[in-house]
Amino acid sequence: MYLLQPNLFSFEELLKFEPETKLQKVLSVLDLSPALNVVKRAVLGPKGHCVGNMIRALVAKQLEQIPTVAALVKRLSNDIRFRFQCGFSLSKPIPSESTFSRLIQKLAATDETNKTESVMKQIFDNLVKSAKDMGLIDSNCVAIDSSKIDAYEKSKPKKDLQGDKTANWGAKRDTHGNQISWFGYKAHVAVDCHSELPIAIMVTPANTHDAKMAIPLIELVNKALEDSKKPKYYTMDMGYDSKDIYSVVMNDFNAQAIIPINSRGSKDHPEGCDFDGTPICSMGQRMVFWGSDAKAGTNKYRCPHVMGKCDCPYGSAWCSPSSYGLVVKTKVKDDPRMNCIPARGTKNWQSLYNKRTSVERCFGRLKQHLGANSIRTRGLEKVTLHITLSCIALLAGSIAVAKTKRIEQAA
């Protein structure tokens, strides 16, 4: 007859002795206090599961690219390590699929009376603040763009679509200039160009124009960085080429919009200037840029003949008696769309615009590694929650990696 030796430690205690896993490090940086005070116990069923553990499981769902809530519940049931890492007790039953669904509905709700609209956004903003305090987010230059999100619901004809909280038809050009269309949503994101981390996010139906969401995103960026250094530059593609965006960025946020001139609006340039705001001399030649005065808000241009860019038959005397040649100064405040500092065509302007690709790399990580494009929910509110969870996972992962590196360097 053999007697089993009683275990000195329980399985949960043994797991605590193991080195901290990557998933635990990421989930440990989450501050879930905003959700704990909002979501009521009744939402989580009679057994009263922990709200924080369930939200951690939803973030882990994005990190592990688990496609559905049903698959998440199955993973929690079968993988005891994963269950422990999310914070659930090994001796108690895990939340059911319906319990998770009720929590998701509560977190995604936009009813102002229950104050749950800002729960996940507040968690997201807290992570942005933590990244900023750690020096991960520089915030000097911010890139703004949108990306298509395919809907999970069945597509409908345009005539049958109603309201602004459902999927819709959208169209845009891809990176190769090809026209594409899809039924679903758009994720609008403002990204710090230094760290390539999201600072502000908004989700709309696919038929919403990109330029319409630029100013609301910039407002969210300034709110998130309220106590920090505000961005000096906002870089966007030519789809955002709008006079309102230039003027609001300059007048309301004391910053500069870095946007190429859209050829469709090039006919609107002022008389005496080329399509990109460069002054034209009396012989029809583009004048040569010769520096900016940031304090005065002006750009200086000189005679192309004197600068050796063309051979004018009348020489420089045609426009100016000075041997220095004709000089023209343009003021940014006179036309913020055509005149900017740094001026278009300069290396500084091009260097700032090249940073716009940081938002594309951010979208790539969200879609390829964090399940942002694997939508299994319907409706704008739940899709917004799904994208927010992906962004939270990206921020939390970056913060966890930075903390680990600093600990290793200190050791």
Side-chain angles (χ1 to χ4, degrees):
M1 183 176 180
Y2 297 95
L3 296 177
L4 294 176
Q5 179 73 25
N7 293 328
L8 183 61
F9 302 104
S10 67
F11 186 74
E12 292 184 55
E13 291 174 324
L14 289 173
L15 287 176
K16 292 179 182 178
F17 287 112
E18 291 189 350
E20 193 176 25
T21 64
K22 294 180 181 179
L23 182 59
Q24 284 177 302
K25 290 180 180 180
V26 174
L27 297 180
S28 65
V29 306
L30 296 177
D31 178 14
L32 303 178
S33 55
L36 302 180
N37 299 325
V38 173
V39 181
K40 298 180 180 179
R41 185 186 182 96
V43 177
L44 306 180
K47 297 180 181 180
H49 299 285
C50 176
V51 177
N53 293 340
M54 293 182 68
I55 295 179
R56 290 187 189 95
L58 292 175
V59 176
K61 172 178 173 290
Q62 305 300 104
L63 289 165
E64 297 290 319
Q65 300 190 58
I66 301 174
T68 63
V69 173
L72 173 63
V73 174
K74 185 177 180 180
R75 174 77 177 271
L76 289 169
S77 301
N78 299 335
D79 190 341
I80 55 178
R81 291 181 183 274
F82 180 72
R83 186 196 309 183
F84 177 79
Q85 291 162 5
C86 292
F88 292 106
S89 173
L90 304 182
S91 59
K92 296 180 181 180
I94 62 170
S96 63
E97 183 179 349
S98 59
T99 303
F100 270 109
S101 297
R102 287 196 295 271
L103 175 64
I104 290 173
Q105 186 174 2
K106 189 77 172 177
L107 294 174
T110 56
D111 185 3
E112 296 181 358
T113 58
N114 56 35
K115 298 181 180 180
T116 57
E117 180 181 13
S118 60
V119 168
M120 299 309 295
K121 182 182 180 301
Q122 190 171 348
I123 295 173
F124 172 83
D125 289 340
N126 289 340
L127 288 172
V128 172
K129 185 178 183 302
S130 298
K132 177 65 179 177
D133 294 340
M134 293 178 64
L136 299 180
I137 294 179
D138 177 72
S139 76
N140 181 64
C141 182
V142 172
I144 294 177
D145 203 357
S146 69
S147 183
K148 74 180 188 71
I149 302 295
D150 295 318
Y152 184 57
E153 51 262 52
K154 185 178 180 180
S155 60
K156 299 179 181 178
K158 289 185 178 181
K159 62 180 182 179
D160 297 336
L161 298 174
Q162 296 179 353
D164 56 354
K165 291 189 176 183
T166 59
N168 210 317
W169 288 98
K172 65 183 303 183
R173 294 188 181 276
D174 60 13
T175 55
H176 303 290
N178 301 316
Q179 187 76 11
I180 58 174
S181 60
W182 76 100
F183 182 76
Y185 306 89
K186 273 185 182 179
H188 307 265
V189 179
V191 173
D192 173 55
C193 293
H194 174 72
S195 62
E196 300 179 359
L197 292 175
I199 302 177
I201 52 175
M202 298 183 75
V203 181
T204 63
N207 62 331
T208 304
H209 197 280
D210 291 353
K212 183 180 178 180
M213 305 307 300
I215 295 175
L217 273 176
I218 294 172
E219 291 174 349
L220 289 178
V221 168
N222 280 262
K223 186 177 180 180
L225 304 175
E226 188 173 1
D227 301 327
S228 308
K229 182 179 67 174
K230 302 297 177 65
K232 292 183 179 180
Y233 305 100
Y234 291 93
T235 176
M236 307 165 233
D237 61 31
M238 65 176 60
Y240 294 86
D241 183 24
S242 167
K243 292 182 179 180
D244 292 338
I245 294 177
Y246 290 96
S247 59
V248 170
V249 169
M250 183 184 70
N251 298 325
D252 296 354
F253 300 103
N254 194 28
Q256 177 64 60
I258 306 296
I259 309 173
I261 294 293
N262 194 326
S263 58
R264 290 177 295 180
S266 61
K267 296 180 180 179
D268 299 334
H269 59 82
E271 185 178 357
C273 293
D274 207 353
F275 73 96
D276 60 352
T278 302
I280 302 295
C281 72
S282 56
M283 286 300 296
Q285 300 292 330
R286 287 168 59 92
M287 300 188 70
V288 179
F289 174 74
W290 200 247
S292 301
D293 187 344
K295 292 184 178 180
T298 59
N299 290 323
K300 179 180 178 181
Y301 296 86
R302 291 182 61 185
C303 172
H305 176 78
V306 173
M307 301 302 299
K309 298 298 181 179
C310 70
D311 186 13
C312 181
Y314 298 99
S316 62
W318 176 268
C319 300
S320 173
S322 172
S323 59
Y324 192 77
L326 177 67
V327 173
V328 175
K329 292 184 178 181
T330 59
K331 294 184 177 180
V332 176
K333 66 178 183 179
D334 291 342
D335 192 343
R337 177 173 178 261
M338 285 296 168
N339 307 319
C340 62
I341 296 178
R344 285 189 183 84
T346 62
K347 291 183 178 179
N348 289 338
W349 187 94
Q350 191 62 44
S351 176
L352 288 168
Y353 180 69
N354 289 343
K355 294 181 179 181
R356 192 195 65 81
T357 56
S358 59
V359 69
E360 296 178 356
R361 288 189 287 273
C362 178
F363 277 128
R365 296 185 183 102
L366 291 173
K367 290 186 175 183
Q368 295 178 19
H369 305 294
L370 297 171
N373 205 31
S374 302
I375 303 294
R376 293 297 183 271
T377 56
R378 297 178 176 87
L380 180 63
E381 295 173 350
K382 291 184 179 180
V383 172
T384 301
L385 175 64
H386 182 90
I387 301 300
T388 303
L389 285 170
S390 295
C391 292
I392 287 174
L394 179 57
L395 281 165
S398 300
I399 293 173
V401 169
K403 285 185 175 181
T404 302
K405 288 183 177 179
R406 292 183 182 185
I407 292 173
E408 292 175 352
Q409 292 174 356

